[in-house]
Amino acid sequence: QVQLVESGGGLVQAGGSLRLSCAASGRMFSINAMGWYRQAPGKQRELVAAITSGGSTNYADSVKGRFTISRDNAKNTVYLQMNSLKPEDTGVYYCNANVREKFFSAPVTYWGQGTQVTVSS
C-alpha cells in the first residue's frame, strides 16, 4: 500500500502565500505523474496542477502565474507553492500520485487525505 500525507494548509489573507507538501511512502517501484486537486464547498473536485516524472507541468487557467508545482523525486514529494492567493482559492486540497508498485504492476492512483486552505478577503 502507498500513503500520501499532505501538509502546509491553513488560513491566510488574500494576497498571501502558502506552500503545500505531499510525501508518498510505502511500496513503490516508480511514481509517474503527481498532482494537486481542490474541492470547494458545493463544488466538484478540480485539477489545480500536475507534474510528470520528467518535470512537465500542467495548470488550471485560474492559477497560472500564481501557483507553481514541483517535485523532489528522491524524497517522493510533490509541492505546490501558492502565491497571490484569492478567496476563490479556498477549499480542501488533495494530492494524488500515479504509482507503479512493482515492475510488472499496472499503475494505480492514490490520494491523500486533504488539507484545508482558507483565504480570507
Side-chain angles (χ1 to χ4, degrees):
Q1 273 289 356
V2 174
Q3 296 81 38
L4 300 180
V5 178
E6 299 119 333
S7 60
L11 172 65
V12 65
Q13 288 189 332
S17 298
L18 284 174
R19 188 190 192 213
L20 305 182
S21 300
C22 173
S25 62
R27 187 172 189 172
M28 297 176 289
F29 173 77
S30 64
I31 304 177
N32 302 322
M34 303 182 80
W36 289 95
Y37 287 70
R38 68 185 178 193
Q39 188 165 19
K43 294 188 177 181
Q44 290 188 330
R45 190 175 298 188
E46 62 175 357
L47 173 69
V48 176
I51 185 168
T52 67
S53 57
S56 296
T57 58
N58 181 42
Y59 295 93
D61 288 342
S62 60
V63 306
K64 283 180 180 176
R66 300 188 297 121
F67 291 11
T68 302
I69 188 170
S70 61
R71 64 190 282 176
D72 185 332
N73 291 331
K75 295 182 179 179
N76 295 325
T77 299
V78 63
Y79 306 95
L80 185 67
Q81 177 66 44
M82 304 185 293
N83 298 328
S84 302
L85 282 161
K86 304 175 181 180
E88 51 263 43
D89 293 319
T90 294
V92 179
Y93 283 67
Y94 300 90
C95 74
N96 78 351
N98 189 252
V99 177
R100 193 183 299 272
E101 295 187 29
K102 300 178 183 179
F103 180 76
F104 293 108
S105 299
V108 176
T109 297
Y110 291 91
W111 291 87
Q113 79 287 353
T115 185
Q116 177 70 44
V117 171
T118 302
V119 184
S120 63
S121 57

